[in-house]
């Protein structure tokens, strides 16, 4: 009796573990939002490139990249990113600003679709880029 109970519990645990990746895979990694906060953290130890992709719902993706010089601080990197987003994204669809020096806010304008922001790549050492839906 004890042996069959242990066997049943083991089989149930294996069944639940087998289902876990299926349910996790069904959820998208990111969901579009009407506003994103990009947090820049750290001073660049090396020169490098940073690339982001902005994809409006139902629209084509837009690549935004900057070159970061060595020893560039987080506030200066955020300013460069803000300027690059303003240059590449349509003004009628997006409002871009800096907040707290090291944050970049990307907001959709009234009547525009929600959008997704993704970090594509970064070769800058000692600097992290965190994306937060707001």
């Amino acid at each position: 009796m004890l042996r069959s109970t242990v066997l049943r519990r083991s089989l149930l645990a294996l069944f639940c573990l087998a289902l876990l990746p299926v349910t996790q895979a069904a959820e998208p990694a990111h969901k579009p939002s009407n506003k994103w906060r990009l947090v820049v953290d750290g001073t660049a130890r090396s020169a490098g490139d940073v690339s982001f992709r902005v994809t409006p719902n139902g629209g084509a993706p837009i690549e935004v990249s900057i070159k970061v010089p060595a020893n560039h601080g987080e506030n200066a990197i955020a300013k460069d990113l803000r300027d690059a987003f303003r240059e590449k994204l349509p003004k009628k669809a997006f409002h871009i600003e800096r907040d707290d020096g090291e944050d970049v806010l990307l907001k959709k304008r009234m009547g525009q679709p929600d959008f997704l922001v993704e970090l594509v790549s970064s070769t800058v050492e000692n600097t992290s880029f965190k994306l937060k839906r707001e």
Side-chain angles (χ1 to χ4, degrees), residues 11-95:
L11 288 173
L12 180 61
L14 284 173
F15 178 74
C16 289
L17 286 174
L19 286 180
L20 188 60
V22 172
T23 56
Q24 286 179 343
E27 285 190 34
H30 298 286
K31 294 180 183 177
S33 180
N34 65 336
K35 180 178 175 183
W36 289 86
R37 179 178 296 270
L38 192 165
V39 181
V40 182
D41 188 30
T43 298
R45 271 196 205 138
S46 68
D49 298 310
V50 182
S51 295
F52 290 90
R53 180 180 307 118
V54 178
T55 309
N57 276 349
I62 303 164
E63 299 286 331
V64 178
S65 299
I66 63 166
K67 293 195 177 296
V68 178
N71 301 315
H72 221 43
E74 58 194 26
N75 288 2
I77 296 170
K79 180 184 176 298
D80 291 349
L81 280 170
R82 179 205 59 197
D83 294 347
F85 280 115
R86 283 181 174 173
E87 183 181 315
K88 289 284 194 163
L89 299 178
K91 289 174 183 45
K92 68 178 183 175
F94 296 93
H95 174 76

